Amino acid sequence: MSRPTTPVQPRRPGDPEPDLTIYGIAHLAMRHGAHELATLAQTLRDGAPLTPARAKALAEYVRLMTEEIHLHHHGEDTIGWPIIQASAGHAVDLEPLTADHDQLDPILDRLRGASALLVTRPDDPAARQTLATDSIVLRDLLDEHIEEEERDIFPIIRTYVSVADFKGWEEQIMKNYPKKNLWFLIPWSVSAVPPADVPAALALTPLAFRLANRLFSGRYRRFHQLIFG
């Protein structure tokens, strides 16, 4: 595990706790996206029609979603986990979560490959089967991984990581995220929040996040409708 790029100042008792709102929304989005994809992939495996436009949009959705999952976990491994380790020391064991991340990457690669093949060969049975099988594996692994992370790691972050260090973690993650994909990332994330909870959740996010969601929500809604109906 690498060291933080800047010195870490662990949270002291009585200091404010980091706000994990956006972190939690990212988790909701990954789980919701994986569940949606698994449900759709089962219908495709069973013979549902796939028009050229829908196949192209599906491949783009899978690319964007799997890229977000990879970047999220890579950011944890290279930015977040070193901060937690430096702040909490022996109070936490991050190796099982890192192992999960390593297990995810080949699944993401296969999903991208299968969905890309369906653009040129929309009726290919092997590609449809791969998409169905691996989307279920992804769904189940993410559910288990994220539940474990929120149960075991979120309390560690709140207890040991300072607000400043956590903010730096979030800023580094966003700095590394491709800006051309923000039209997808932000409304995709918000769409996973239960509708009744959206106003309260958005109120806890930065103004730039709320403005981007408003700006891109229409484009994302049309994109999503083409794929999932």
Side-chain angles (χ1 to χ4, degrees):
M1 185 178 297
S2 61
R3 295 182 178 182
T5 55
T6 58
V8 166
Q9 296 292 331
R11 178 181 176 271
R12 298 169 299 181
D15 285 351
E17 295 180 357
D19 182 354
L20 304 184
T21 299
I22 292 181
Y23 205 159
I25 291 175
H27 281 174
L28 280 174
M30 289 188 289
R31 294 182 70 173
H32 183 259
H35 277 254
E36 271 199 321
L37 179 61
T39 299
L40 174 63
Q42 308 320 299
T43 69
L44 295 176
R45 180 198 58 194
D46 295 340
L50 192 60
T51 66
R54 190 184 186 200
K56 184 177 180 180
L58 173 60
E60 181 68 355
Y61 180 91
V62 172
R63 183 188 71 80
L64 290 165
M65 185 185 79
T66 57
E67 185 171 311
E68 163 56 18
I69 293 170
H70 171 76
L71 288 173
H72 179 89
H73 290 142
H74 181 70
E76 288 178 333
D77 290 338
T78 60
I79 300 168
W81 290 177
I83 289 173
I84 294 175
Q85 194 72 60
S87 301
H90 297 298
V92 61
D93 178 13
L94 298 165
E95 289 304 320
L97 296 173
T98 300
D100 285 351
H101 295 170
D102 294 339
Q103 186 179 352
L104 278 167
D105 282 337
I107 299 168
L108 302 179
D109 288 342
R110 290 195 298 270
L111 287 170
R112 283 191 293 270
S115 62
L117 182 58
L118 289 174
V119 174
T120 55
R121 297 166 61 181
D123 296 323
D124 187 284
R128 287 181 175 229
Q129 181 63 56
T130 296
L131 193 69
T133 300
D134 282 312
S135 63
I136 291 175
V137 174
L138 176 66
R139 179 197 67 194
D140 294 346
L141 182 57
L142 278 179
D143 280 346
E144 180 180 356
H145 174 81
I146 289 172
E147 286 170 8
E148 179 181 356
E149 195 171 286
E150 294 188 350
R151 182 190 67 235
D152 298 338
I153 304 303
F154 275 24
I156 293 289
I157 295 173
R158 293 189 178 102
T159 301
Y160 294 101
V161 177
S162 69
V163 169
D165 287 330
F166 186 75
K167 183 178 180 181
W169 172 357
E170 288 190 313
E171 289 174 348
Q172 278 276 86
I173 294 292
M174 289 309 299
K175 181 180 179 181
N176 295 336
Y177 193 85
K179 300 301 181 286
K180 64 181 181 180
N181 293 349
L182 289 177
W183 73 268
F184 171 83
L185 172 65
I186 292 178
W188 174 71
S189 300
V190 173
S191 71
V193 178
D197 297 337
V198 168
L202 284 177
L204 297 172
T205 63
L207 176 60
F209 186 99
R210 300 196 297 274
L211 291 175
N213 182 60
R214 186 180 304 173
L215 176 64
F216 297 129
S217 60
R219 177 182 176 184
Y220 173 76
R221 188 166 53 249
R222 292 188 295 272
F223 175 67
H224 185 274
Q225 178 71 21
L226 176 59
I227 302 163
F228 295 99

